[in-house]
Amino acid sequence: MDVRAERTRRSLQVALLQLARERPLDEFTVAEIAARAGVNRSSFYQHYSDKETLLADALDAAAEAAAATLPAQYEPPNGPPQALVHFLEHVDEHAALYRSVFGPTGSAAVLARLRARIDAIVREGFVSSADTAYDGLPIDIIAAGITGSALGVVEAWLMRDPRPSVEIGAEWVWRALLGPGSAWA
């Protein structure tokens, strides 16, 4: 990939996230994003068709950055994995933006991209794992269940007012994913 193009895309993503911390997504323009990124509007359109596509890329990059902290060999941790904590730190930092994505008038396209990214991360984790807990279930079913549960808890945590800490949110996601465990026996 062209280093300059990647740098421009990253600058646009950062600019969008900065502006979204200041005011809602529908209250700023492509021109403002480009100006904040230090590029012109035509550069924006060379990389993105609209703000929603840029937003999807920015949130996708955040999920990917969190996933990069996952170990190469999966070992079930005692508590929430650091990758989950890192991701929720990003969500917390950009809470208003994520609330708008998850909310009733949110972006189905952006949420679908985020769901796809997390689904891919879950699949990769299971491929590198020797866990037998889900033996007999297709990987797409496992990934869909974990992704849906995780995003559901993230959304519920995000919408609370006041919103609990990132650590509590990560614990909630983790406990929801683990289920009652031995309590079923």
Side-chain angles (χ1 to χ4, degrees):
M1 176 168 283
D2 179 9
V3 175
R4 285 184 313 171
E6 184 57 34
R7 187 174 36 242
T8 299
R9 278 193 214 61
R10 187 69 194 131
S11 294
L12 289 164
Q13 292 168 13
V14 167
L16 176 126
L17 293 173
Q18 288 172 345
L19 286 164
R21 278 196 303 268
E22 297 168 12
R23 57 192 198 270
L25 187 65
D26 60 350
E27 291 184 11
F28 55 88
T29 65
V30 166
E32 289 175 281
I33 296 168
R36 177 75 61 102
V39 301
N40 58 40
R41 278 179 52 130
S42 66
S43 291
F44 176 95
Y45 288 112
Q46 286 174 344
H47 299 280
Y48 295 104
S49 57
D50 53 32
K51 287 191 295 187
E52 189 171 83
T53 306
L54 170 59
L55 174 59
D57 262 9
L59 300 189
D60 196 33
E64 186 64 29
T69 65
L70 289 170
Q73 193 64 21
Y74 179 76
E75 293 285 332
N78 292 331
Q82 274 307 113
L84 175 59
V85 173
H86 292 315
F87 178 66
L88 289 184
E89 288 170 345
H90 174 80
V91 172
D92 189 55
E93 183 180 349
H94 305 286
L97 181 61
Y98 276 92
R99 273 194 223 101
S100 73
V101 167
F102 279 104
T105 60
S107 170
V110 173
L111 199 50
R113 282 272 302 273
L114 181 59
R115 181 177 301 280
R117 170 57 65 193
I118 293 172
D119 184 273
I121 292 165
V122 170
R123 286 174 191 242
E124 288 172 24
F126 271 93
V127 167
S128 70
S129 150
D131 195 326
T132 60
Y134 294 103
D135 278 356
L137 285 177
I139 190 74
D140 61 320
I141 300 301
I142 297 166
I146 291 172
T147 300
S149 294
L151 285 176
V153 176
V154 168
E155 178 182 4
W157 165 76
L158 183 62
M159 299 302 182
R160 293 180 77 85
D161 187 21
R163 184 174 53 262
S165 70
V166 165
E167 292 74 21
I168 289 172
E171 183 66 26
W172 288 353
V173 172
W174 189 240
R175 288 186 63 194
L177 293 177
L178 293 178
S182 63
W184 285 350

